[in-house]
Amino acid sequence: MNLIMNLPGMKDVLVKKVVEAGEFIQIHLELERRIHRCPTCDQRTKRVHDYRIQKIEHLKWFERKTQLFYRRRRYACTCGKRFSEKTEIVERYQRTSVEWNQAVSIRAIKGKSFKETSEIYGTSSSTVVRRFDQIANNEIKKVELLPTVIAIDEYKGDTREGKYQLIIADGVTKQPLDILPNRYKNTIKHYLKKHGANVQIVIMDMSSAFKAAVQEALGKPVIVADRFHFCRYIYWALDKVRRKVQADFHDYDRKTCKRMKHVFHKANERLTEDERWHLARYLDMSDELKQAYELKEAYCKWFKRAKEIGQEDIITVKQELVEFYKMVELADISELSNAIKTFKNWQIEILNSFVYNYSNGFLEGINNSTKVIKRNAYGYRSFLRFRAKILLTNQYKRIGTHIG
Ligand SMILES: [Zn+2]
């Protein structure tokens, strides 16, 4: 057999024979003799010194473990230098092929866990982790200067470094940029002082620690409160009222009201007939709940309009928000009054979200995929490795999972 094959990663390889040996497929191969330049004196040579068989672990073939028996040629130069031929099959001092290394690296990023990857490739977890750390080292871009618009959010990482971590992303391109080991004010402040000279807009949820850190580090950037986060305060307030009120309902109504709680959140015009019936029933049973619900609807109306006109006419949006405050104050329901307090504390940032039209909803998506990563690996103890896994997973999003 003397087949020239263009196998992936093994261009112009001369396959001499393929043997099945126990659980292995062994491919015997060599390269064609070619002119090489001497690494010492740069002269051209084609003179063969000798051959050495190099055994290389390769990717599975037909679901069988595969080894390459590479008959590697050494050339001799007139200057006395002897050197190995150039090849793309294997890197120096490696016992695994370049193809294998790449596949394991990508799988280490995309796969469920290092352990699973090691089982698929018939290697040890530590080998997989080593390849992963290497790729993390080479591929994760170090942040020097943050872009002009950034979004920050926390997620529950549960690593040795702490319970919560802070993710920082580009607010425009939506690419995650960095992850801080915790969400403490001083950590964020220190980081922003170092890397935030260009930052003009920061999108965040309503954490006073985040706000203080940003203001102390960056002076007066525009802070945009995330819409999803501030809307939640109104929904939470309504939930609290519902739970308080339904506790006095009779058994049956209490249970169905709890089960049907989504009807209170859903936009009124989208309710089905059945949902509308239930909603009307519970609202009839309590004036307080009815009032709270009507305030939520008023809020939704304001929110919808703010989205529509916010960029041209934020003054009107602000006036209508103040009108909404007055309605809440008049109703005098403590749960909603408390929500309004938060709104007043964050009013500028809330209004900014309509002027600038940024949100960090996309970070929610990234944090959801982070949850899956964490669960698949039964958690990460090392913050740095978890950080690398999250950043690389997002960087490699568009690279196929079919490898391996
Ligand atoms: Zn030479």
Side-chain angles (χ1 to χ4, degrees), residues 25 58-66 100 119-122:
I25 294 182
H58 191 54
L59 294 176
K60 281 182 185 172
W61 238 36
F62 302 103
E63 280 306 301
R64 287 175 182 75
K65 286 182 183 171
T66 303
W100 190 92
E119 281 159 7
I120 290 170
Y121 287 94

Side-chain angles (χ1 to χ4, degrees), residues 37-45 76-83:
R37 279 191 184 277
C38 169
T40 309
C41 72
D42 209 36
Q43 268 191 84
R44 290 143 80 93
T45 179
C77 177
T78 47
C79 78
K81 176 78 181 168
R82 288 154 190 175
F83 58 93

Side-chain angles (χ1 to χ4, degrees), residues 29-176:
L29 52 87
E30 58 186 62
L31 297 180
E32 279 185 300
R33 196 170 143 200
R34 240 177 294 162
I35 295 167
H36 274 63
R37 279 191 184 277
C38 169
T40 309
C41 72
D42 209 36
Q43 268 191 84
R44 290 143 80 93
T45 179
K46 217 181 167 180
R47 191 153 67 87
V48 175
H49 174 65
D50 64 0
Y51 291 90
R52 293 199 175 163
I53 306 275
Q54 197 177 344
K55 190 170 119 188
I56 303 160
E57 304 296 329
H58 191 54
L59 294 176
K60 281 182 185 172
W61 238 36
F62 302 103
E63 280 306 301
R64 287 175 182 75
K65 286 182 183 171
T66 303
Q67 296 169 326
L68 307 177
F69 285 77
Y70 170 32
R71 189 163 174 258
R72 191 166 193 172
R73 191 178 288 111
R74 289 203 301 167
Y75 290 97
C77 177
T78 47
C79 78
K81 176 78 181 168
R82 288 154 190 175
F83 58 93
S84 283
E85 66 188 350
K86 263 195 248 158
T87 175
E88 286 168 13
I89 300 170
V90 66
E91 275 168 30
R92 245 178 135 177
Y93 310 123
Q94 292 276 319
R95 285 164 52 210
T96 49
S97 68
V98 169
E99 279 287 303
W100 190 92
N101 290 350
Q102 279 172 355
V104 170
S105 299
I106 290 175
R107 187 75 186 208
I109 294 165
K110 302 220 118 191
K112 280 192 171 178
S113 65
F114 297 136
K115 189 165 176 284
E116 186 208 57
T117 302
S118 72
E119 281 159 7
I120 290 170
Y121 287 94
T123 184
S124 65
S125 289
S126 59
T127 301
V128 175
V129 169
R130 202 164 51 239
R131 294 226 66 87
F132 177 82
D133 288 347
Q134 211 172 58
I135 200 163
N137 216 19
N138 295 336
E139 303 262 320
I140 295 176
K141 294 164 208 110
K142 248 186 107 64
V143 171
E144 298 297 340
L145 265 182
L146 290 165
T148 51
V149 184
I150 61 167
I152 61 179
D153 200 7
E154 64 193 16
Y155 66 88
K156 200 157 166 267
D158 292 315
T159 70
R160 251 183 322 226
E161 303 270 331
K163 208 168 181 181
Y164 287 93
Q165 272 85 65
L166 189 91
I167 183 160
I168 302 171
D170 186 317
V172 177
T173 67
K174 304 185 173 174
Q175 281 301 306

Side-chain angles (χ1 to χ4, degrees), residues 372-389:
V372 176
I373 292 171
K374 185 172 122 188
R375 190 169 55 228
N376 282 339
Y378 303 104
Y380 282 78
R381 301 212 352 98
S382 154
F383 161 70
L384 282 177
R385 205 161 277 139
F386 193 18
R387 172 184 178 275
K389 179 89 179 178

Side-chain angles (χ1 to χ4, degrees), residues 1 20 39 54 69 72 114 120 158 174 188 208 232 252 327 333 340 352 357:
M1 191 170 169
E20 274 200 73
Q54 197 177 344
F69 285 77
R72 191 166 193 172
F114 297 136
I120 290 170
D158 292 315
K174 304 185 173 174
I188 304 170
S208 46
R232 231 163 33 171
Y252 176 78
M327 286 169 70
I333 300 168
I340 290 312
N352 277 343
N357 206 15

Side-chain angles (χ1 to χ4, degrees), residues 23 55 62 88 93 106 157 161 170 179 233 243 245 252 280-281 311 321-322 346-347 352 361 370 382 395:
E23 53 170 340
K55 190 170 119 188
F62 302 103
E88 286 168 13
Y93 310 123
I106 290 175
E161 303 270 331
D170 186 317
I179 294 170
Y233 283 86
R243 280 200 298 271
V245 165
Y252 176 78
R281 176 172 174 83
Q311 269 167 313
L321 181 59
V322 172
W346 286 82
Q347 183 167 300
N352 277 343
T370 297
S382 154
Q395 232 167 287

